Amino acid sequence: MDAIKTDDIIKKLLADKCEALETKLSGEVILIRSPMAPGIDDAVRREIENVASKPGCRNKLVVVLETNGGSIEVVERISDVFRHHFQTVVFVIPNVAYSAGTVLSLSGDSIYMDYYSVLGPIDPQIMNREGRWVPGLGYLTKYDDLVEKSNKGVITQAELEFLIRKFDPAELFVLEQAKKHSSELIQRWLCEYKFKDWTHRETSGDEVTDEYKRDRAKHIAALLGDATEWNSHGRGIPMRMLESDKIKLKITDFAADPELNKAVREYYDLFIDYCGKVGADIAVHTKPRFLALGG
C-alpha cells in the first residue's frame, strides 16, 4: 500500500513539474527518452493525439528530448505528428540528443539548451545483419577510404579481403540514402521553421534572402554530417560550438532564465529518477501520464 502511495505521489509531482514548464513556455509538454527506433513513433503519436484532444489545448508543443539517435524515418514520422497537431514546436535538450535526435531537434522553431547539453553529428543508424543498430558515417567513410586506396593501387591484400568480407552493398546503399535523407530533412526543416522569421543578419544588418537561408541550411547539414569533422558518432557538440562562427546555429540558453532553468531541471531530474526507480530506460511523459516502454 505504501509503495502504491509513493508511486502516486511521484506521478503527481511529475505532473506538477510538467505543468510548471508548460506555464513557463506557454505550451503543451511531452518528454521523450528513447532511441529513435520503430515503435517510439507509434507511442508518441498516441500521446500527442491524447494531449491535442484535450479542451483548451495550446497550439505550441514543447518537446523535452533525450536520445542516442536511431532511424531517420522514425524521426520524420515523429516530426510529422508534431506538425499535424501543433503550429509551433520547440525542443528542450537538458542532456543529449545525438544523431537522428539532432535532426529531430533541427525540425523545431527553436532549440533550448544550456552549457551541459549536447547535440551530436548527423550519423543515421541502420540495423545490421546481426540485429544491432550501427552508425553509418564511419562505415561509409572507411569504405570510401578503402575504395580510394584501391583506385590508387596502394591497397594491401588484408585491406582488400576486409573490403570484400565486411562491406555489404545493400547496407552501403541504405546508409547512403539515410545520409542523403537526413541532409534533405535538415535543409527543408531549417528553412521552413527555424529560419522562418530570420529577416536580417545580426552582424551586417543585410537582408536574409531565401537563397541565403538555403545556403546556411545546406552548410549546417554538410558540417554536422561530416564524419571527419567530428571523429566520433558519440561526440557531443555543446551550445557554444553550435553558436560558434563555424556552425552559427542560434540556440536559446534556458539557464539564462532562472525560472525556466528551475522548471526544466526539476522536471527532467525527477523524470530520470523515476525512470531509474521503475527500471524504464525508454519512457514518454505528458502531464496526464507516465508511459514506460522498455527497461
Side-chain angles (χ1 to χ4, degrees):
M1 185 67 176
D2 289 341
I4 295 175
K5 286 183 177 178
T6 301
D7 196 66
D8 290 342
I9 289 169
I10 295 174
K11 286 183 177 179
K12 174 63 167 61
L13 281 172
L14 267 174
D16 290 344
K17 300 301 182 184
C18 180
E19 184 173 11
L21 183 57
E22 287 183 338
T23 300
K24 182 62 183 176
L25 289 179
S26 302
E28 310 299 329
V29 167
I30 183 170
L31 197 164
I32 303 169
R33 184 197 196 198
S34 173
M36 296 292 103
I40 188 61
D41 43 355
D42 295 329
V44 167
R45 177 189 178 184
R46 290 192 296 270
E47 296 306 304
I48 289 296
E49 288 177 345
N50 182 48
V51 169
S53 66
K54 73 177 185 178
C57 177
R58 287 161 287 204
N59 206 17
K60 177 182 178 181
L61 180 67
V62 178
V63 183
V64 185
L65 180 65
E66 178 178 301
T67 180
N68 285 327
S71 165
I72 201 65
E73 289 80 12
V74 170
V75 159
E76 185 174 23
R77 295 193 78 190
I78 290 174
S79 177
D80 287 346
V81 169
F82 292 162
R83 292 295 174 177
H84 180 79
H85 293 282
F86 294 92
Q87 181 178 348
T88 302
V89 180
V90 303
F91 286 85
V92 179
I93 314 297
N95 191 1
V96 301
Y98 289 127
S99 188
T102 300
V103 178
L104 183 58
S105 300
L106 294 176
S107 75
D109 296 87
S110 56
I111 303 172
Y112 290 79
M113 300 172 65
D114 72 355
Y115 76 95
Y116 185 71
S117 313
V118 293
L119 300 182
I122 307 302
D123 193 357
Q125 301 175 59
I126 65 165
M127 188 173 289
N128 67 7
R129 287 169 290 184
E130 288 76 40
R132 294 184 296 107
W133 286 94
V134 295
L137 291 185
Y139 193 88
L140 291 172
T141 300
K142 186 61 179 177
Y143 175 79
D144 290 341
D145 288 345
L146 291 175
V147 169
E148 183 177 356
K149 292 183 75 172
S150 177
N151 290 337
K152 291 179 178 179
V154 295
I155 192 169
T156 67
Q157 184 63 34
E159 288 173 328
L160 182 60
E161 291 176 0
F162 181 80
L163 178 65
I164 295 171
R165 186 175 69 254
K166 288 295 185 179
F167 290 95
D168 183 334
E171 285 185 354
L172 284 167
F173 177 78
V174 171
L175 286 169
E176 287 168 347
Q177 293 305 302
K179 180 180 179 182
K180 181 181 178 183
H181 191 187
S182 300
S183 178
E184 290 173 350
L185 285 179
I186 290 171
Q187 293 177 59
R188 173 163 64 86
W189 283 341
L190 282 175
C191 291
E192 190 170 352
Y193 302 121
K194 201 166 192 316
F195 293 169
K196 70 180 187 302
D197 296 324
W198 187 21
T199 57
H200 291 83
R201 299 174 64 178
E202 291 185 4
T203 50
S204 65
D206 293 342
E207 181 182 359
V208 175
T209 63
D210 289 342
E211 182 181 4
Y212 185 79
K213 290 179 183 180
R214 287 192 295 269
D215 287 344
R216 287 294 306 142
K218 185 176 181 179
H219 169 77
I220 291 170
L223 188 59
L224 292 178
D226 184 353
T228 60
E229 180 71 35
W230 308 107
N231 302 320
S232 168
H233 169 82
R235 179 177 180 182
I237 307 174
M239 179 175 62
R240 58 176 174 75
M241 190 176 295
L242 292 166
E243 293 190 309
S244 69
D245 288 341
K246 177 178 286 188
I247 304 178
K248 294 183 180 179
L249 187 64
K250 189 174 179 61
I251 306 292
T252 302
D253 183 359
F254 64 75
D257 180 338
E259 290 184 1
L260 177 57
N261 185 59
K262 182 174 184 289
V264 171
R265 298 307 319 174
E266 289 187 354
Y267 177 43
Y268 171 76
D269 289 347
L270 181 61
F271 171 84
I272 293 299
D273 287 346
Y274 187 63
C275 284
K277 176 180 180 295
V278 300
D281 293 332
I282 301 172
V284 175
H285 183 262
T286 57
K287 192 164 57 177
R289 69 169 179 161
F290 175 93
L291 182 64
L293 299 171

